[in-house]
Amino acid sequence: MSKSSDQFDNSDCVCSFGMKLTWDINDPKLPQDTKQYDAFQEWTDGYVRYIYSAEDKNAQRHLSGWAMRNTNNHNCQILKKSCLGVVVCSRNCTLADGSKLQLRPAICDKARQKQQKKLCPNCNSALELVPCRGHSGYPVTNFWRVDGKAIFFQAKGVHDHPRPESKSETEARRSAVKRRMSSPHFAQKRRLIEPEPGRYHDMPFPNIHQLTMEAPDRFSIIAESNFPIQTQHYPAFQNPEPYKFPYDTHGATTMADTSSTLQKPANHRLYMPRPPCGYDFAVPGYLGSGPYPPALYKDPVSPQNEAELNKGGPSLSGTPHSASVLPNHERTYPDTTAKHHSWKQILGKGPYGDRGEYPQLPANANHYYNSEYPCRYTGPGPATPTALQTIITTTTKVSYQPCPKPSVVKYGENVYDVKGLTNCNSLLEESSPTSYSELKIPEDSGVIKTAVSYQDPLPTKIERVENFEGYRYSSYSSNSYPERVTHPYRYEGGEY
DNA sequence: ATCTGCGGGCGGT
DNA sequence: ACCGCCCGCAGAT
């Protein structure tokens, strides 16, 4: 743990402000005296909680790097969104650089269906949507609630799939593409390069690559990345300070902080090929909280080629992924359920609860990371009980009322007692539970701690920034990028 | 054309 | 009672 803290030095704390306090999105009363807010986290993962300033544009938009769609929870007080997963090549082909195609699923159902009909820009095979099953077999859910001067965010579940491109990346790509397309220049190239024009224009990658470079290189850009980028992670989340970023739609632009920036890197991980599901995780990487548990990312496993990966996968033919083999459509992993069950058993019944809301991620975490999504299940599940043990809790007890109520909700006063969990705070040294102590303590406490420890090592924030344009147009060719870490952009641009 | 949020409704647990 | 999810509507981009 300590180390994590070190890393965050800049931020004041090891864990996010939100995590220090004990609260649950469903609590009737949320901490009101928030004096400090968390820096916006674009790529949250795990059972985490953040408290953002109501002024934070990203928070106001309920933004996430993950493709989250609105989910009707029949509670107007709390906005719930569930993860759509990521769109990948059904053959799990590897781009020249060794990275994998990981598109952002369209949020709109109709648009997503269209998207899935497209072909992989790299190998022309079908695309497939890898659904998120990180929360007990269901998609990871994010909850947003505005209360007072703060925007409370709580995430449940650990994404068991690679990161899709972030919204800002997608937008940037699109705009870049448009421009290019409009340019006569590109048009020509495109024809040359693209096998089937028209087919994928939508795709991110193709365009960019096409535009930017010739076919051979196209993908290379990203490639190098294999590293551990994972590291990328997130910014420290904690900047107390508000991010002031303007964040234009592109988001990218300035997000100040870290958050966005860092996050991008996220994709990196995607790239990495790694052995299929191994578990290497001894570590619990996850921890719930951190947005980016470094551990998870650890996968940096050496870059192998996809070939490897594929092999790893059960099926050579198409999808390497274990689960897989699904057609392009959304895959449903049948097994999922089963697995989940197991999880539930393991996790769920924790002290708290029933649902196992806060399962630990550790295990999971890995899964995902290590292997690529495909493996998700393979691994973790059952296999790593250890990790699991940590898991935890439940959540919700919610007392919120159904929508129709007036805005002011006052929920009861009840306090959920947390049954003893309180300790968490103690763990967190810094935690300043003080005021909220009354609130219930979320189950995750345990998790949190852990998480804390892991928080990203990452560092650096990369500054994203500057201009989008720049990066977009900039030559991607740079294969040479040294490390991704430093260049967040590279990806972006590179990626596609 | 999409994104985003809302809310009705259905089915499963 | 909850939850996940589908669907349509509407306003915003």
Side-chain angles (χ1 to χ4, degrees), chain A residues 352-381:
Chain A
Y352 315 93
D354 353 344
R355 304 174 175 200
E357 297 242 356
Y358 293 89
Q360 240 350 207
L361 342 158
N364 307 338
N366 301 321
H367 42 301
Y368 143 168
Y369 298 110
N370 317 337
S371 28
E372 310 221 322
Y373 32 101
C375 307
R376 350 158 141 194
Y377 278 134
T378 52

PDB file of all heavy atoms in Angstrom, chain A residues 352-381:
ATOM      1  N   TYR A 352     -21.444  -9.420   3.958  1.00  0.00           N
ATOM      2  CA  TYR A 352     -22.478  -8.568   3.675  1.00  0.00           C
ATOM      3  C   TYR A 352     -23.393  -9.121   2.782  1.00  0.00           C
ATOM      4  O   TYR A 352     -24.352  -8.833   2.502  1.00  0.00           O
ATOM      5  CB  TYR A 352     -21.962  -7.441   3.025  1.00  0.00           C
ATOM      6  CG  TYR A 352     -20.877  -7.155   3.765  1.00  0.00           C
ATOM      7  CD1 TYR A 352     -19.652  -7.641   3.446  1.00  0.00           C
ATOM      8  CD2 TYR A 352     -20.993  -6.425   4.866  1.00  0.00           C
ATOM      9  CE1 TYR A 352     -18.621  -7.323   4.216  1.00  0.00           C
ATOM     10  CE2 TYR A 352     -19.922  -6.126   5.612  1.00  0.00           C
ATOM     11  CZ  TYR A 352     -18.797  -6.575   5.293  1.00  0.00           C
ATOM     12  OH  TYR A 352     -17.788  -6.269   6.036  1.00  0.00           O
ATOM     13  N   GLY A 353     -23.185  -9.600   2.063  1.00  0.00           N
ATOM     14  CA  GLY A 353     -24.075  -9.857   1.313  1.00  0.00           C
ATOM     15  C   GLY A 353     -24.508 -10.607   0.427  1.00  0.00           C
ATOM     16  O   GLY A 353     -24.104 -11.443   0.006  1.00  0.00           O
ATOM     17  N   ASP A 354     -25.498 -10.347   0.053  1.00  0.00           N
ATOM     18  CA  ASP A 354     -26.150 -11.059  -0.849  1.00  0.00           C
ATOM     19  C   ASP A 354     -25.612 -10.947  -2.150  1.00  0.00           C
ATOM     20  O   ASP A 354     -25.295 -11.787  -2.772  1.00  0.00           O
ATOM     21  CB  ASP A 354     -27.374 -10.504  -0.923  1.00  0.00           C
ATOM     22  CG  ASP A 354     -27.449  -9.620   0.016  1.00  0.00           C
ATOM     23  OD1 ASP A 354     -26.807  -9.727   0.618  1.00  0.00           O
ATOM     24  OD2 ASP A 354     -28.150  -8.837   0.205  1.00  0.00           O
ATOM     25  N   ARG A 355     -25.566  -9.923  -2.666  1.00  0.00           N
ATOM     26  CA  ARG A 355     -25.232  -9.850  -3.983  1.00  0.00           C
ATOM     27  C   ARG A 355     -23.853  -9.858  -4.232  1.00  0.00           C
ATOM     28  O   ARG A 355     -23.405  -9.960  -5.205  1.00  0.00           O
ATOM     29  CB  ARG A 355     -25.586  -8.633  -4.501  1.00  0.00           C
ATOM     30  CG  ARG A 355     -26.722  -8.405  -4.348  1.00  0.00           C
ATOM     31  CD  ARG A 355     -26.902  -7.355  -4.697  1.00  0.00           C
ATOM     32  NE  ARG A 355     -27.889  -6.732  -4.809  1.00  0.00           N
ATOM     33  CZ  ARG A 355     -27.906  -5.825  -5.480  1.00  0.00           C
ATOM     34  NH1 ARG A 355     -27.172  -5.620  -6.011  1.00  0.00           N
ATOM     35  NH2 ARG A 355     -28.768  -5.139  -5.637  1.00  0.00           N
ATOM     36  N   GLY A 356     -23.152  -9.674  -3.407  1.00  0.00           N
ATOM     37  CA  GLY A 356     -21.810  -9.647  -3.656  1.00  0.00           C
ATOM     38  C   GLY A 356     -21.503  -8.505  -4.415  1.00  0.00           C
ATOM     39  O   GLY A 356     -20.981  -8.551  -5.446  1.00  0.00           O
ATOM     40  N   GLU A 357     -21.841  -7.476  -4.005  1.00  0.00           N
ATOM     41  CA  GLU A 357     -21.623  -6.398  -4.808  1.00  0.00           C
ATOM     42  C   GLU A 357     -20.252  -6.044  -4.926  1.00  0.00           C
ATOM     43  O   GLU A 357     -19.823  -5.562  -5.862  1.00  0.00           O
ATOM     44  CB  GLU A 357     -22.237  -5.278  -4.205  1.00  0.00           C
ATOM     45  CG  GLU A 357     -23.617  -5.623  -4.203  1.00  0.00           C
ATOM     46  CD  GLU A 357     -24.216  -4.706  -4.964  1.00  0.00           C
ATOM     47  OE1 GLU A 357     -23.591  -3.931  -5.331  1.00  0.00           O
ATOM     48  OE2 GLU A 357     -25.352  -4.736  -5.217  1.00  0.00           O
ATOM     49  N   TYR A 358     -19.540  -6.161  -4.001  1.00  0.00           N
ATOM     50  CA  TYR A 358     -18.244  -5.736  -4.185  1.00  0.00           C
ATOM     51  C   TYR A 358     -17.352  -6.852  -4.229  1.00  0.00           C
ATOM     52  O   TYR A 358     -16.619  -7.094  -3.367  1.00  0.00           O
ATOM     53  CB  TYR A 358     -17.805  -4.960  -3.036  1.00  0.00           C
ATOM     54  CG  TYR A 358     -18.551  -3.773  -3.001  1.00  0.00           C
ATOM     55  CD1 TYR A 358     -19.724  -3.673  -2.348  1.00  0.00           C
ATOM     56  CD2 TYR A 358     -18.086  -2.686  -3.666  1.00  0.00           C
ATOM     57  CE1 TYR A 358     -20.374  -2.507  -2.336  1.00  0.00           C
ATOM     58  CE2 TYR A 358     -18.756  -1.534  -3.624  1.00  0.00           C
ATOM     59  CZ  TYR A 358     -19.883  -1.460  -2.975  1.00  0.00           C
ATOM     60  OH  TYR A 358     -20.520  -0.306  -2.955  1.00  0.00           O
ATOM     61  N   PRO A 359     -17.361  -7.496  -5.093  1.00  0.00           N
ATOM     62  CA  PRO A 359     -16.541  -8.616  -5.174  1.00  0.00           C
ATOM     63  C   PRO A 359     -15.225  -8.124  -5.346  1.00  0.00           C
ATOM     64  O   PRO A 359     -15.009  -7.110  -5.813  1.00  0.00           O
ATOM     65  CB  PRO A 359     -16.937  -9.151  -6.445  1.00  0.00           C
ATOM     66  CG  PRO A 359     -17.933  -8.285  -6.926  1.00  0.00           C
ATOM     67  CD  PRO A 359     -18.249  -7.261  -5.999  1.00  0.00           C
ATOM     68  N   GLN A 360     -14.411  -8.715  -5.167  1.00  0.00           N
ATOM     69  CA  GLN A 360     -13.195  -8.209  -5.292  1.00  0.00           C
ATOM     70  C   GLN A 360     -12.685  -8.346  -6.537  1.00  0.00           C
ATOM     71  O   GLN A 360     -12.688  -9.205  -7.155  1.00  0.00           O
ATOM     72  CB  GLN A 360     -12.364  -9.016  -4.674  1.00  0.00           C
ATOM     73  CG  GLN A 360     -12.031  -8.493  -4.091  1.00  0.00           C
ATOM     74  CD  GLN A 360     -11.839  -7.532  -3.618  1.00  0.00           C
ATOM     75  OE1 GLN A 360     -11.780  -7.586  -3.604  1.00  0.00           O
ATOM     76  NE2 GLN A 360     -11.588  -6.677  -3.155  1.00  0.00           N
ATOM     77  N   LEU A 361     -12.202  -7.578  -6.885  1.00  0.00           N
ATOM     78  CA  LEU A 361     -11.733  -7.619  -8.062  1.00  0.00           C
ATOM     79  C   LEU A 361     -10.595  -8.213  -8.324  1.00  0.00           C
ATOM     80  O   LEU A 361     -10.225  -8.504  -9.306  1.00  0.00           O
ATOM     81  CB  LEU A 361     -11.298  -6.452  -8.269  1.00  0.00           C
ATOM     82  CG  LEU A 361     -12.003  -6.056  -7.326  1.00  0.00           C
ATOM     83  CD1 LEU A 361     -11.535  -5.223  -7.081  1.00  0.00           C
ATOM     84  CD2 LEU A 361     -12.978  -5.671  -7.617  1.00  0.00           C
ATOM     85  N   PRO A 362      -9.913  -8.393  -7.476  1.00  0.00           N
ATOM     86  CA  PRO A 362      -8.598  -8.767  -7.730  1.00  0.00           C
ATOM     87  C   PRO A 362      -8.597  -9.784  -8.716  1.00  0.00           C
ATOM     88  O   PRO A 362      -7.975  -9.732  -9.688  1.00  0.00           O
ATOM     89  CB  PRO A 362      -8.196  -9.316  -6.463  1.00  0.00           C
ATOM     90  CG  PRO A 362      -9.203  -8.867  -5.566  1.00  0.00           C
ATOM     91  CD  PRO A 362     -10.357  -8.356  -6.285  1.00  0.00           C
ATOM     92  N   ALA A 363      -9.216 -10.702  -8.413  1.00  0.00           N
ATOM     93  CA  ALA A 363      -9.153 -11.732  -9.315  1.00  0.00           C
ATOM     94  C   ALA A 363      -9.581 -11.272 -10.613  1.00  0.00           C
ATOM     95  O   ALA A 363      -8.964 -11.498 -11.602  1.00  0.00           O
ATOM     96  CB  ALA A 363     -10.096 -12.737  -8.903  1.00  0.00           C
ATOM     97  N   ASN A 364     -10.625 -10.694 -10.585  1.00  0.00           N
ATOM     98  CA  ASN A 364     -11.144 -10.349 -11.812  1.00  0.00           C
ATOM     99  C   ASN A 364     -10.260  -9.534 -12.535  1.00  0.00           C
ATOM    100  O   ASN A 364     -10.125  -9.579 -13.685  1.00  0.00           O
ATOM    101  CB  ASN A 364     -12.278  -9.467 -11.637  1.00  0.00           C
ATOM    102  CG  ASN A 364     -13.076 -10.163 -10.755  1.00  0.00           C
ATOM    103  OD1 ASN A 364     -12.904 -11.297 -10.703  1.00  0.00           O
ATOM    104  ND2 ASN A 364     -13.914  -9.570 -10.092  1.00  0.00           N
ATOM    105  N   ALA A 365      -9.833  -8.680 -11.819  1.00  0.00           N
ATOM    106  CA  ALA A 365      -9.128  -7.720 -12.468  1.00  0.00           C
ATOM    107  C   ALA A 365      -8.221  -8.355 -13.381  1.00  0.00           C
ATOM    108  O   ALA A 365      -8.067  -8.021 -14.499  1.00  0.00           O
ATOM    109  CB  ALA A 365      -8.335  -7.037 -11.479  1.00  0.00           C
ATOM    110  N   ASN A 366      -7.639  -9.215 -12.875  1.00  0.00           N
ATOM    111  CA  ASN A 366      -6.711  -9.794 -13.684  1.00  0.00           C
ATOM    112  C   ASN A 366      -7.267 -10.309 -14.866  1.00  0.00           C
ATOM    113  O   ASN A 366      -6.767 -10.216 -15.897  1.00  0.00           O
ATOM    114  CB  ASN A 366      -6.193 -10.954 -13.028  1.00  0.00           C
ATOM    115  CG  ASN A 366      -5.692 -10.382 -11.870  1.00  0.00           C
ATOM    116  OD1 ASN A 366      -5.181  -9.362 -11.967  1.00  0.00           O
ATOM    117  ND2 ASN A 366      -5.775 -10.947 -10.794  1.00  0.00           N
ATOM    118  N   HIS A 367      -8.262 -10.863 -14.686  1.00  0.00           N
ATOM    119  CA  HIS A 367      -8.657 -11.584 -15.770  1.00  0.00           C
ATOM    120  C   HIS A 367      -8.604 -10.721 -16.875  1.00  0.00           C
ATOM    121  O   HIS A 367      -8.117 -10.960 -17.877  1.00  0.00           O
ATOM    122  CB  HIS A 367     -10.015 -12.033 -15.690  1.00  0.00           C
ATOM    123  CG  HIS A 367     -10.880 -11.089 -15.207  1.00  0.00           C
ATOM    124  ND1 HIS A 367     -10.811 -10.524 -14.098  1.00  0.00           N
ATOM    125  CD2 HIS A 367     -11.942 -10.537 -15.664  1.00  0.00           C
ATOM    126  CE1 HIS A 367     -11.803  -9.770 -13.912  1.00  0.00           C
ATOM    127  NE2 HIS A 367     -12.445  -9.733 -14.833  1.00  0.00           N
ATOM    128  N   TYR A 368      -9.152  -9.717 -16.631  1.00  0.00           N
ATOM    129  CA  TYR A 368      -9.272  -8.966 -17.745  1.00  0.00           C
ATOM    130  C   TYR A 368      -8.061  -8.484 -18.256  1.00  0.00           C
ATOM    131  O   TYR A 368      -7.776  -8.536 -19.376  1.00  0.00           O
ATOM    132  CB  TYR A 368     -10.045  -7.984 -17.269  1.00  0.00           C
ATOM    133  CG  TYR A 368      -9.897  -6.837 -17.616  1.00  0.00           C
ATOM    134  CD1 TYR A 368     -10.815  -6.001 -17.306  1.00  0.00           C
ATOM    135  CD2 TYR A 368      -8.921  -6.371 -18.319  1.00  0.00           C
ATOM    136  CE1 TYR A 368     -10.734  -4.772 -17.661  1.00  0.00           C
ATOM    137  CE2 TYR A 368      -8.917  -5.101 -18.651  1.00  0.00           C
ATOM    138  CZ  TYR A 368      -9.790  -4.387 -18.315  1.00  0.00           C
ATOM    139  OH  TYR A 368      -9.762  -3.212 -18.626  1.00  0.00           O
ATOM    140  N   TYR A 369      -7.347  -8.085 -17.442  1.00  0.00           N
ATOM    141  CA  TYR A 369      -6.194  -7.547 -18.010  1.00  0.00           C
ATOM    142  C   TYR A 369      -5.313  -8.527 -18.618  1.00  0.00           C
ATOM    143  O   TYR A 369      -4.748  -8.348 -19.626  1.00  0.00           O
ATOM    144  CB  TYR A 369      -5.422  -6.897 -16.978  1.00  0.00           C
ATOM    145  CG  TYR A 369      -6.270  -5.872 -16.514  1.00  0.00           C
ATOM    146  CD1 TYR A 369      -6.839  -5.899 -15.296  1.00  0.00           C
ATOM    147  CD2 TYR A 369      -6.570  -4.864 -17.366  1.00  0.00           C
ATOM    148  CE1 TYR A 369      -7.640  -4.892 -14.925  1.00  0.00           C
ATOM    149  CE2 TYR A 369      -7.368  -3.862 -16.964  1.00  0.00           C
ATOM    150  CZ  TYR A 369      -7.900  -3.896 -15.766  1.00  0.00           C
ATOM    151  OH  TYR A 369      -8.677  -2.902 -15.413  1.00  0.00           O
ATOM    152  N   ASN A 370      -5.095  -9.497 -17.997  1.00  0.00           N
ATOM    153  CA  ASN A 370      -4.153 -10.311 -18.501  1.00  0.00           C
ATOM    154  C   ASN A 370      -4.486 -10.790 -19.747  1.00  0.00           C
ATOM    155  O   ASN A 370      -3.845 -10.810 -20.630  1.00  0.00           O
ATOM    156  CB  ASN A 370      -4.083 -11.556 -17.866  1.00  0.00           C
ATOM    157  CG  ASN A 370      -4.183 -11.330 -16.642  1.00  0.00           C
ATOM    158  OD1 ASN A 370      -3.915 -10.385 -16.416  1.00  0.00           O
ATOM    159  ND2 ASN A 370      -4.409 -12.131 -15.847  1.00  0.00           N
ATOM    160  N   SER A 371      -5.481 -11.341 -19.746  1.00  0.00           N
ATOM    161  CA  SER A 371      -5.741 -11.938 -20.920  1.00  0.00           C
ATOM    162  C   SER A 371      -6.499 -10.997 -21.576  1.00  0.00           C
ATOM    163  O   SER A 371      -7.005 -10.179 -21.080  1.00  0.00           O
ATOM    164  CB  SER A 371      -6.614 -12.947 -20.637  1.00  0.00           C
ATOM    165  OG  SER A 371      -7.240 -12.565 -19.614  1.00  0.00           O
ATOM    166  N   GLU A 372      -6.723 -11.089 -22.608  1.00  0.00           N
ATOM    167  CA  GLU A 372      -7.515 -10.120 -23.112  1.00  0.00           C
ATOM    168  C   GLU A 372      -8.807 -10.471 -22.790  1.00  0.00           C
ATOM    169  O   GLU A 372      -9.049 -11.429 -22.223  1.00  0.00           O
ATOM    170  CB  GLU A 372      -7.368 -10.223 -24.452  1.00  0.00           C
ATOM    171  CG  GLU A 372      -6.056 -10.233 -24.493  1.00  0.00           C
ATOM    172  CD  GLU A 372      -5.729  -9.469 -25.550  1.00  0.00           C
ATOM    173  OE1 GLU A 372      -6.208  -9.506 -26.270  1.00  0.00           O
ATOM    174  OE2 GLU A 372      -4.926  -8.823 -25.722  1.00  0.00           O
ATOM    175  N   TYR A 373      -9.648  -9.813 -23.198  1.00  0.00           N
ATOM    176  CA  TYR A 373     -10.952 -10.048 -22.771  1.00  0.00           C
ATOM    177  C   TYR A 373     -11.330 -11.406 -22.928  1.00  0.00           C
ATOM    178  O   TYR A 373     -12.058 -11.960 -22.262  1.00  0.00           O
ATOM    179  CB  TYR A 373     -11.861  -9.326 -23.614  1.00  0.00           C
ATOM    180  CG  TYR A 373     -11.293  -9.275 -24.863  1.00  0.00           C
ATOM    181  CD1 TYR A 373     -11.712 -10.109 -25.819  1.00  0.00           C
ATOM    182  CD2 TYR A 373     -10.226  -8.439 -25.127  1.00  0.00           C
ATOM    183  CE1 TYR A 373     -11.157 -10.062 -27.028  1.00  0.00           C
ATOM    184  CE2 TYR A 373      -9.700  -8.445 -26.344  1.00  0.00           C
ATOM    185  CZ  TYR A 373     -10.191  -9.250 -27.254  1.00  0.00           C
ATOM    186  OH  TYR A 373      -9.674  -9.244 -28.466  1.00  0.00           O
ATOM    187  N   PRO A 374     -10.896 -11.988 -23.804  1.00  0.00           N
ATOM    188  CA  PRO A 374     -11.365 -13.283 -24.099  1.00  0.00           C
ATOM    189  C   PRO A 374     -11.262 -14.118 -22.957  1.00  0.00           C
ATOM    190  O   PRO A 374     -12.077 -14.907 -22.669  1.00  0.00           O
ATOM    191  CB  PRO A 374     -10.397 -13.724 -25.081  1.00  0.00           C
ATOM    192  CG  PRO A 374      -9.683 -12.543 -25.443  1.00  0.00           C
ATOM    193  CD  PRO A 374      -9.995 -11.433 -24.547  1.00  0.00           C
ATOM    194  N   CYS A 375     -10.263 -13.999 -22.365  1.00  0.00           N
ATOM    195  CA  CYS A 375     -10.086 -14.862 -21.334  1.00  0.00           C
ATOM    196  C   CYS A 375     -10.889 -14.617 -20.182  1.00  0.00           C
ATOM    197  O   CYS A 375     -10.893 -15.321 -19.265  1.00  0.00           O
ATOM    198  CB  CYS A 375      -8.757 -14.724 -20.880  1.00  0.00           C
ATOM    199  SG  CYS A 375      -7.826 -14.917 -22.251  1.00  0.00           S
ATOM    200  N   ARG A 376     -11.497 -13.618 -20.207  1.00  0.00           N
ATOM    201  CA  ARG A 376     -12.040 -13.216 -19.002  1.00  0.00           C
ATOM    202  C   ARG A 376     -12.461 -14.272 -18.168  1.00  0.00           C
ATOM    203  O   ARG A 376     -12.171 -14.387 -17.076  1.00  0.00           O
ATOM    204  CB  ARG A 376     -13.254 -12.495 -19.137  1.00  0.00           C
ATOM    205  CG  ARG A 376     -13.551 -12.167 -20.335  1.00  0.00           C
ATOM    206  CD  ARG A 376     -14.859 -11.954 -20.403  1.00  0.00           C
ATOM    207  NE  ARG A 376     -15.121 -10.938 -21.165  1.00  0.00           N
ATOM    208  CZ  ARG A 376     -16.144 -10.343 -21.272  1.00  0.00           C
ATOM    209  NH1 ARG A 376     -16.902 -10.585 -20.740  1.00  0.00           N
ATOM    210  NH2 ARG A 376     -16.430  -9.427 -21.928  1.00  0.00           N
ATOM    211  N   TYR A 377     -13.212 -14.965 -18.650  1.00  0.00           N
ATOM    212  CA  TYR A 377     -13.672 -15.897 -17.761  1.00  0.00           C
ATOM    213  C   TYR A 377     -12.806 -16.988 -17.505  1.00  0.00           C
ATOM    214  O   TYR A 377     -12.856 -17.637 -16.553  1.00  0.00           O
ATOM    215  CB  TYR A 377     -14.846 -16.469 -18.267  1.00  0.00           C
ATOM    216  CG  TYR A 377     -15.711 -15.512 -17.878  1.00  0.00           C
ATOM    217  CD1 TYR A 377     -16.628 -15.048 -18.699  1.00  0.00           C
ATOM    218  CD2 TYR A 377     -15.635 -14.964 -16.641  1.00  0.00           C
ATOM    219  CE1 TYR A 377     -17.477 -14.097 -18.310  1.00  0.00           C
ATOM    220  CE2 TYR A 377     -16.470 -14.021 -16.306  1.00  0.00           C
ATOM    221  CZ  TYR A 377     -17.372 -13.612 -17.142  1.00  0.00           C
ATOM    222  OH  TYR A 377     -18.201 -12.696 -16.774  1.00  0.00           O
ATOM    223  N   THR A 378     -12.090 -17.262 -18.348  1.00  0.00           N
ATOM    224  CA  THR A 378     -11.346 -18.376 -18.152  1.00  0.00           C
ATOM    225  C   THR A 378     -10.702 -18.312 -16.896  1.00  0.00           C
ATOM    226  O   THR A 378     -10.700 -19.186 -16.148  1.00  0.00           O
ATOM    227  CB  THR A 378     -10.282 -18.352 -19.085  1.00  0.00           C
ATOM    228  OG1 THR A 378      -9.784 -17.192 -18.898  1.00  0.00           O
ATOM    229  CG2 THR A 378     -10.818 -18.541 -20.331  1.00  0.00           C
ATOM    230  N   GLY A 379     -10.047 -17.390 -16.766  1.00  0.00           N
ATOM    231  CA  GLY A 379      -9.341 -17.364 -15.625  1.00  0.00           C
ATOM    232  C   GLY A 379      -9.963 -17.218 -14.379  1.00  0.00           C
ATOM    233  O   GLY A 379      -9.927 -18.070 -13.562  1.00  0.00           O
ATOM    234  N   PRO A 380     -10.297 -16.189 -14.163  1.00  0.00           N
ATOM    235  CA  PRO A 380     -10.585 -15.754 -12.886  1.00  0.00           C
ATOM    236  C   PRO A 380     -11.443 -16.594 -12.191  1.00  0.00           C
ATOM    237  O   PRO A 380     -11.263 -16.955 -11.122  1.00  0.00           O
ATOM    238  CB  PRO A 380     -11.344 -14.579 -13.140  1.00  0.00           C
ATOM    239  CG  PRO A 380     -11.490 -14.556 -14.535  1.00  0.00           C
ATOM    240  CD  PRO A 380     -10.667 -15.546 -15.172  1.00  0.00           C
ATOM    241  N   GLY A 381     -12.382 -16.811 -12.663  1.00  0.00           N
ATOM    242  CA  GLY A 381     -13.358 -17.381 -11.942  1.00  0.00           C
ATOM    243  C   GLY A 381     -12.928 -18.130 -10.856  1.00  0.00           C
ATOM    244  O   GLY A 381     -12.443 -17.727  -9.915  1.00  0.00           O
TER     245      GLY A 381
END
